[in-house]
Amino acid sequence: MMAPDISRFLLAVLFSASCRVIIASDQICIEKEANKTYNCENFGLSEIPDTLPNTTESLEFSFNFLPAIQNRTFSRLINLTFLDLTRCQISWIHEDTFQGHRQLSTLVLTGNPLIFMAETSLNGPKSLKHLFLIQTGISDLKFIPVHNLENLESLYLGNNHISSMKLPKAFPTRNLQVLDFQNNAIHYFSREDVRSLGQATHLSLNFNSNDIKAIEPGAFGSTVFQSLNFGGTFNLSVIFDGLQNSTTQSLWLGTFEDMYDQDVSSDMLRGLCEVSVESLNLQKHHFSDFSSTTFRCFTRLQELDLTATHLSELPSGIEGMNSLKKLVLNANNFDQLCQVNAASFPSLTHLSIKGNMKKLQLGVGCLEKLGNLRKLDLSHSDIEASDCCNLPLRNLSHLQSLNLSYNEPLGLQHQAFKECPQLELLDLAFTRLRVNPPQSPFQNLLFLQVLNLSHCFLDTSNQQLLAGLPVLRHLNLRGNPFRDGTIPKTNLFQTVGSLEVLILSSCALLSIDQQAFHSLRNISHVDLSHNSLTGDSMASLRHLKGIYLNVAANNIRIIPPRLLPILSQQSTINLSHNPLDCTCSNIHFLTWFKENLHRFEGPEDTLCTNPPSLRGVKLSDVQLSCGITALGIFFLIVFLFLFTVLLIFAVKYLLRWKYQHI
Ligand SMILES: *[C@@H]1O[C@H](CO)[C@@H](O)[C@H](O)[C@H]1NC(C)=O
Ligand SMILES: *[C@@H]1O[C@H](CO)[C@@H](O)[C@H](O)[C@H]1NC(C)=O
Ligand SMILES: *[C@@H]1O[C@H](CO)[C@@H](O)[C@H](O)[C@H]1NC(C)=O
Ligand SMILES: *[C@@H]1O[C@H](CO)[C@@H](O)[C@H](O)[C@H]1NC(C)=O
Ligand SMILES: *[C@@H]1O[C@H](CO)[C@@H](O)[C@H](O)[C@H]1NC(C)=O
Ligand SMILES: *[C@@H]1O[C@H](CO)[C@@H](O)[C@H](O)[C@H]1NC(C)=O
Ligand SMILES: *[C@@H]1O[C@H](CO)[C@@H](O)[C@H](O)[C@H]1NC(C)=O
Ligand SMILES: *[C@@H]1O[C@H](CO)[C@@H](O)[C@H](O)[C@H]1NC(C)=O
Ligand SMILES: *[C@@H]1O[C@H](CO)[C@@H](O)[C@H](O)[C@H]1NC(C)=O
Ligand SMILES: *[C@@H]1O[C@H](CO)[C@@H](O)[C@H](O)[C@H]1NC(C)=O
Ligand SMILES: *[C@@H]1O[C@H](CO)[C@@H](O)[C@H](O)[C@H]1NC(C)=O
């Protein structure tokens, strides 16, 4: 028992380490991309710091103090393309402030109490595309010096006191795509206001929360819009009057929780018949007389969003909804899936009933008329079923994506998704699944590529669980514990050789058998983070090359030299948040780490835990010299000397003993 202790002592003496920490000098502002992108947010600065290089292209400078800006302020940074000056208490923008900034394409002035903007302040940036003047106290559009902004694409004017959308004559509208007037005080629109938009077509206009009281009938005329948002309007008839004969891809007429609102009647929606709309959103409204007549002017719609409209049923007898492709019924009060009366919407390809406020019963064949359905979202809907999912999903033979995540326990029998043979994506995350081994609920899903089984409380020792999935590429098993904390040699991965992405984080793993991933030849991404693995488990990746490997937040202290070649052949490794050993016993790894720094993501979180003197120091900053020190040499010489003396005595004794016995 003494021998190993002595040798350990000797080793410790021989290799007494000398460590030095190199920590980069603190610099003002955070460099995000060398010489190009900097973040100086909230540094209390009152000028551009000299440490910023002239080559800076993107600068986040919000929450500083620049009461007045002028031609000197940014003159050094002539190559700026993005400049964020949110809440810098800017009141004055003087002449020629951006004179030299030809490349500037995005300027954010949000949250500054602007008093003055010189006529020439925006003359320089000929390529300015995006201008943010949110919450700047503007009440009149004439305040904005725009005559040089031919390339302006989006102008954000939310949270101001603007009372008319009429653009000044010189306003360049040719390239305009987005005009955002949220939360202003525009109560009335005339034909002339809309005409000031000039040549702009396919605009996205946002008048959310403006308390619109009246619009001149037909004011929006025969213009074509990309999207129109009149959210929070008290009386919807007003909007439809103004939109007569106009065309828009999407029309947002939703309202908000805190608004006292008039109920929407079928009569109010009559005006929709005179507007050409593809996608309509009416979220959070109350309907006063919800019936099949409500849908009378919806027949040309392709998308309808009735999120949180307090519905417990869709009426039967809705007719003519053959164009509707996408129906969103999230956050309503259905008891049963059949109450959706799906047969009224025979062309649906997308149906979403997520976040239902009541426990949703799946029923039998409620969606069976939706033979074209491609995507179904039933997540967060309190669904519970002992035998899911063939009866509820009957006839959904074209379904490609099914989301049943965040529901109550579901029992899955053998071939539980036989009715949906075209499934490509199945999301069951955070839904407790009951599977009887050795059954395979997913058998015969010949096209399934993505399977999310995170936090499903699965029995991972069921080797047949994933049988019959020939093209599965992405598997998420996060949060499903493995028996005894180990992945054995024979396991459930043997049937899914096509896997490319495997997520096994938070699976309470202590170890992985060397052969565990043997059948996974196409894998390119392995996430083993948040387990309790040690360095030895890396041996299971011996046959893999060029993968992304995440072993963050494990129990890795030491990585022995024999495993370094395995890490060397991978492309990216995340080793952060491990209790790494920075003593000489790990010197091979530490040396290799520095040579391979480019492979590691999150090196700023890859820190030493041992020895205590180096706790919290970045691995890349550690300088260890594990040579033999003077003290070590002294001890070595003494040791060798003693050993030689001992040997001589032993030989002498042996010879003497031998002679005595001749
Ligand atoms: C940044 O600029 C410095 C000095 O001009 C130069 O030495 C360095 O190579 C540049 N770095 C990059 C990533 O361009
Ligand atoms: C600005 O960009 C141009 C073109 O990329 C380059 O030639 C010039 O050196 C840059 N100037 C500064 C100060 O970075
Ligand atoms: C800034 O303006 C002053 C006064 O108009 C002028 O003398 C100076 O040359 C300008 N500086 C730059 C960098 O344009
Ligand atoms: C940055 O630009 C300023 C003014 O244009 C100039 O005086 C200075 O020498 C430049 N700095 C570098 C490092 O090129
Ligand atoms: C809408 O178009 C129709 C037919 O082109 C026309 O009769 C009607 O006056 C227009 N309505 C408005 C308000 O311009
Ligand atoms: C809604 O506006 C229309 C005119 O567009 C008006 O006839 C109707 O009375 C208004 N309804 C209410 C309740 O104010
Ligand atoms: C199944 O869907 C098809 C359309 O794909 C439809 O024609 C048929 O009527 C549906 N079957 C039943 C039983 O509803
Ligand atoms: C399924 O629904 C959940 C919750 O609504 C969502 O977080 C998740 O992204 C969805 N899955 C897919 C594949 O879209
Ligand atoms: C399940 O995984 C898929 C694919 O990574 C992802 O899109 C989806 O959001 C995940 N679901 C949940 C609930 O996080
Ligand atoms: C691995 O990927 C290749 C190329 O994408 C493919 O041909 C092969 O079938 C895949 N192997 C498995 C077992 O799916
Ligand atoms: C490394 O992995 C951990 C755990 O998954 C994650 O939180 C962290 O963001 C990753 N680091 C980087 C730089 O992506």
Side-chain angles (χ1 to χ4, degrees), residues 142-198:
K142 292 202 190 77
F143 182 84
I144 311 165
V146 286
H147 50 269
N148 258 312
L149 303 179
E150 276 84 28
N151 290 305
L152 200 65
E153 288 177 9
S154 45
L155 178 58
Y156 296 87
L157 292 162
N159 294 56
N160 284 307
H161 314 296
I162 299 166
S163 57
S164 165
M165 69 154 287
K166 189 173 174 191
L167 302 176
K169 271 223 157 53
F171 201 102
T173 55
R174 195 160 43 94
N175 290 308
L176 211 55
Q177 288 168 17
V178 176
L179 204 45
D180 189 330
F181 286 98
Q182 292 194 57
N183 265 312
N184 274 284
I186 305 175
H187 305 313
Y188 179 74
F189 295 87
S190 66
R191 272 176 195 266
E192 203 171 322
D193 291 343
V194 181
R195 216 173 284 140
S196 73
L197 295 172

Side-chain angles (χ1 to χ4, degrees), residues 587-629:
I587 185 67
H588 290 286
F589 168 69
L590 293 171
T591 312
W592 176 87
F593 179 85
K594 280 195 210 168
E595 287 162 1
N596 289 271
L597 210 54
H598 59 281
R599 287 179 208 282
F600 285 86
E601 73 174 12
E604 67 282 356
D605 292 320
T606 308
L607 311 172
C608 304
T609 297
N610 194 40
S613 61
L614 285 179
R615 200 187 182 90
V617 171
K618 282 192 256 171
L619 229 61
S620 49
D621 287 345
V622 171
Q623 295 217 325
L624 217 53
S625 72
C626 297
I628 301 175
T629 60

Side-chain angles (χ1 to χ4, degrees), residues 295-355:
F295 287 77
R296 195 177 42 194
C297 293
F298 290 180
T299 51
R300 284 181 298 167
L301 290 179
Q302 295 185 21
E303 297 183 13
L304 176 61
D305 191 329
L306 295 173
T307 294
T309 43
H310 319 277
L311 302 177
S312 53
E313 190 173 17
L314 289 192
S316 56
I318 299 172
E319 278 170 13
M321 295 297 291
N322 296 323
S323 303
L324 200 71
K325 297 273 190 296
K326 181 171 177 181
L327 179 60
V328 180
L329 297 169
N330 301 341
N332 281 299
N333 307 315
F334 303 110
D335 287 309
Q336 220 226 23
L337 206 46
C338 285
Q339 288 167 339
V340 167
N341 268 310
S344 306
F345 313 99
S347 311
L348 277 193
T349 56
H350 289 61
L351 176 62
S352 178
I353 310 178
K354 74 174 171 195

Side-chain angles (χ1 to χ4, degrees), residues 354 377 379-380 403 405-406 425 427:
K354 74 174 171 195
D377 189 344
S379 60
H380 278 294
N403 197 339
S405 64
Y406 296 98
L425 184 151
D427 192 346

Side-chain angles (χ1 to χ4, degrees), residues 280-293:
L280 176 67
N281 189 317
L282 290 170
Q283 75 160 43
K284 297 198 171 150
H285 277 292
H286 284 266
F287 291 97
S288 57
D289 56 349
F290 198 67
S291 66
S292 57
T293 9

